[in-house]
């Protein structure tokens, strides 16, 4: 028998700058405290169902199934399994999507899902040597096979801005908004402190358009993406409990209305959310005008602006408390962080009723999820 899946107990770590606050912490060191906090919150609220699985997104970890290792490290017991999902920058959102589909099917009742990334401790890998040549360092996974475009993300963001006519000035204006909003927001209710770190490390006040305009392009002399209007490389984790509406009765919750994934042109991966969002809205019978809040991973200002232009989004609804440009982008966790951010805003007494989370993914993919506040 099918069940309506809902999200409860949303939590995340602070987002750390790679090589700094969480420089020595592995993926499981980051994920385990958040899993433990989510489980504690559930038990204190009276939701005592057994955890059927732990599903975590991750891109660059050491292998060995970090979700299972983190579940054990969190003290959840040897009987709780775990599985790790890789859809690159959409991994954390995909993990929640997979958990929701399992709950909706009736196969499971309670899954802890989210994502984690430790860019700081990601292992170095090398391609095997050919003949007598030295090994070559494996710097990133190929996002597409030979014969397809496979640009680095920064170069792709510059190209997207060029072909869509998104100026440097417009990107900097959007970035200044993100920095300003994040600097004035209070994220404490959603954060699980790690050691003595209790706030996002990248957030800085005073990032004005004038200041951003002084930064040089990061990915080529003719580009428009800079360190100020792009995300930072980051560490962090986020977890939500995915359960049935009946089990979560009386708890602050977001109902999952639907989700979608889509493929797009690998040359312009920033447009990946567009077909995913269109498919999702069509499936659920909603329109962009219905959306009270939209959380899109702010990998680059050009990406958010191109998606907004294509879909006709109201830019005031996008990342109303700032996003990855200001806070950082821990790749495998970012999709789940979007859902935590939606929950914090939507579950306020005066919060919007309908929200959407979406990620662009290297290689030309998009993922999106639509949620509504449970009355």
């Amino acid at each position: 028998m099918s069940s309506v899946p809902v999200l409860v107990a949303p939590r995340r770590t602070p987002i750390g700058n790679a090589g700094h606050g969480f420089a020595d912490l592995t993926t499981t060191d980051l994920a385990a405290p958040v899993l433990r906090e989510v489980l504690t919150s559930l038990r204190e609220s009276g939701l005592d169902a057994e955890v059927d699985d732990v599903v975590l997104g991750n891109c660059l970890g050491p292998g060995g199934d970090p979700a299972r290792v983190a579940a054990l490290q969190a003290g959840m017991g040897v009987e709780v399994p775990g599985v790790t999902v890789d859809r690159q920058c959409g991994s954390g959102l995909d993990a929640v999507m997979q958990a929701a589909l399992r709950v909706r099917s009736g196969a499971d009742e309670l899954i802890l899902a989210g994502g984690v990334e430790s860019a700081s401790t990601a292992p170095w890998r090398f391609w095997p040597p050919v003949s007598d040549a030295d090994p070559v360092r494996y710097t990133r996974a190929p996002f597409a096979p030979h014969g397809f475009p496979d640009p680095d993300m920064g170069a792709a963001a510059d190209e997207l801005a060029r072909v869509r006519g998104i100026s440097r000035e417009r990107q900097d204006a959007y970035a200044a908004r993100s920095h300003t909003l994040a600097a004035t927001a209070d994220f404490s209710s959603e954060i699980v402190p790690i050691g003595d770190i209790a706030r996002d490390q990248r957030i800085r006040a005073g990032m004005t358009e004038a200041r951003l305009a002084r930064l040089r392009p990061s990915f080529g002399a003719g580009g428009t993406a800079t360190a100020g209007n792009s995300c930072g490389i980051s560490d962090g984790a986020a977890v939500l409990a995915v359960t049935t509406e009946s089990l979560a009765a009386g708890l602050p919750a977001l109902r999952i209305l639907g989700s979608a994934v889509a493929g797009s042109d690998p040359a312009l991966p920033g447009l990946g959310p567009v077909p995913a969002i269109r498919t999702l809205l069509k499936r659920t019978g909603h329109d962009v005008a219905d959306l009270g809040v939209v959380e899109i991973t702010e990998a680059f200002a050009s990406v958010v602006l191109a998606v907004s232009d294509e879909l006709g989004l109201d830019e005031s609804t996008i990342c109303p408390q700032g996003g990855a440009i200001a806070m950082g982008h821990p790749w495998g966790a970012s999709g789940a962080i979007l859902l935590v951010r939606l929950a914090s805003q939507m579950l306020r007494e005066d919060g919007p009723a309908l929200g959407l989370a979406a990620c662009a993914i290297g290689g030309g993919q998009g993922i999106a999820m639509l949620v509504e506040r449970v009355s």
Side-chain angles (χ1 to χ4, degrees):
M1 184 174 66
S2 64
S3 303
V4 177
V6 298
L7 303 174
V8 295
R11 300 288 191 278
R12 67 175 179 92
T13 67
I15 300 173
N17 294 329
H20 292 273
F22 302 144
D24 299 323
L25 300 185
T26 66
T27 54
T28 50
D29 293 333
L30 293 170
V34 190
L35 287 168
R36 193 159 46 239
E37 176 63 24
V38 170
L39 190 58
T40 297
S41 176
L42 294 176
R43 300 308 184 229
E44 290 177 348
S45 68
L47 203 164
D48 293 324
E50 294 184 0
V51 176
D52 294 303
D53 206 353
V54 173
V55 185
L56 296 180
N58 179 251
C59 298
L60 294 180
D65 193 358
R68 165 66 170 172
V69 179
L72 291 171
Q73 190 166 321
M76 297 179 67
V78 297
E79 68 279 5
V80 178
V83 63
T84 304
V85 174
D86 178 2
R87 200 188 287 270
Q88 290 299 297
C89 293
S91 299
L93 190 52
D94 198 286
V96 178
M97 179 184 73
Q98 293 194 31
L101 292 172
R102 288 166 60 179
V103 169
R104 189 181 298 277
S105 75
D108 294 305
E109 286 190 325
L110 175 61
I111 298 176
L112 304 192
V116 60
E117 201 71 68
S118 172
S120 294
T121 64
W124 285 13
R125 298 180 174 92
F126 293 84
W127 293 109
V130 177
S131 185
D132 294 329
D134 291 331
V136 176
R137 188 180 168 195
Y138 175 104
T139 54
R140 74 160 171 88
F143 296 139
H146 181 71
F148 285 81
D150 188 16
D152 286 339
M153 294 299 95
D158 279 342
E159 179 65 6
L160 179 61
R162 187 189 68 80
V163 300
R164 291 303 172 113
I166 300 172
S167 67
R168 166 71 185 270
E169 291 73 21
R170 189 177 172 207
Q171 292 173 63
D172 284 348
Y174 180 85
R177 170 185 179 270
S178 182
H179 287 291
T180 300
L181 290 170
T184 57
D186 180 5
F187 302 119
S188 58
S189 64
E190 68 195 40
I191 286 180
V192 178
I194 304 294
D196 60 356
I197 299 176
R199 64 181 300 276
D200 301 312
Q201 291 191 297
R202 180 175 163 87
I203 296 175
R204 290 181 293 172
M207 296 297 286
T208 62
E209 290 181 53
R211 186 174 179 184
L212 292 169
R214 294 197 293 268
L215 299 176
R216 295 180 179 179
S218 295
F219 306 103
T224 52
T226 72
N229 62 31
S230 308
C231 66
I233 298 174
S234 308
D235 306 325
V239 176
L240 307 93
V242 187
T243 188
T244 66
E245 192 164 1
S246 57
L247 278 177
L251 300 181
L254 297 179
R255 182 182 296 115
I256 299 175
L257 298 182
S259 56
V261 293
S264 62
D265 184 357
L268 297 173
L271 289 176
V274 172
I277 292 171
R278 283 178 172 154
T279 297
L280 175 58
L281 293 176
K282 183 178 179 180
R283 285 177 181 172
T284 57
H286 285 280
D287 186 83
V288 292
D290 300 331
L291 302 173
V293 56
V294 177
E295 288 286 336
I296 299 177
T297 303
E298 290 179 349
F300 304 93
S302 62
V303 167
V304 179
L305 293 169
V307 171
S308 178
D309 290 350
E310 186 73 15
L311 294 172
L313 298 175
D314 178 351
E315 286 185 21
S316 70
T317 67
I318 301 174
C319 299
Q321 294 182 321
I325 288 172
M327 301 161 69
H329 178 14
W331 305 298
S334 288
I337 289 171
L338 299 182
L339 293 173
V340 174
R341 301 272 42 262
L342 282 178
S344 290
Q345 296 166 86
M346 295 174 66
L347 295 177
R348 298 191 310 252
E349 185 174 344
D350 60 344
L354 198 67
L356 182 139
C359 309
I361 301 166
Q365 296 189 83
I367 185 169
M369 180 175 287
L370 187 67
V371 295
E372 69 176 351
R373 187 177 65 246
V374 176
S375 300

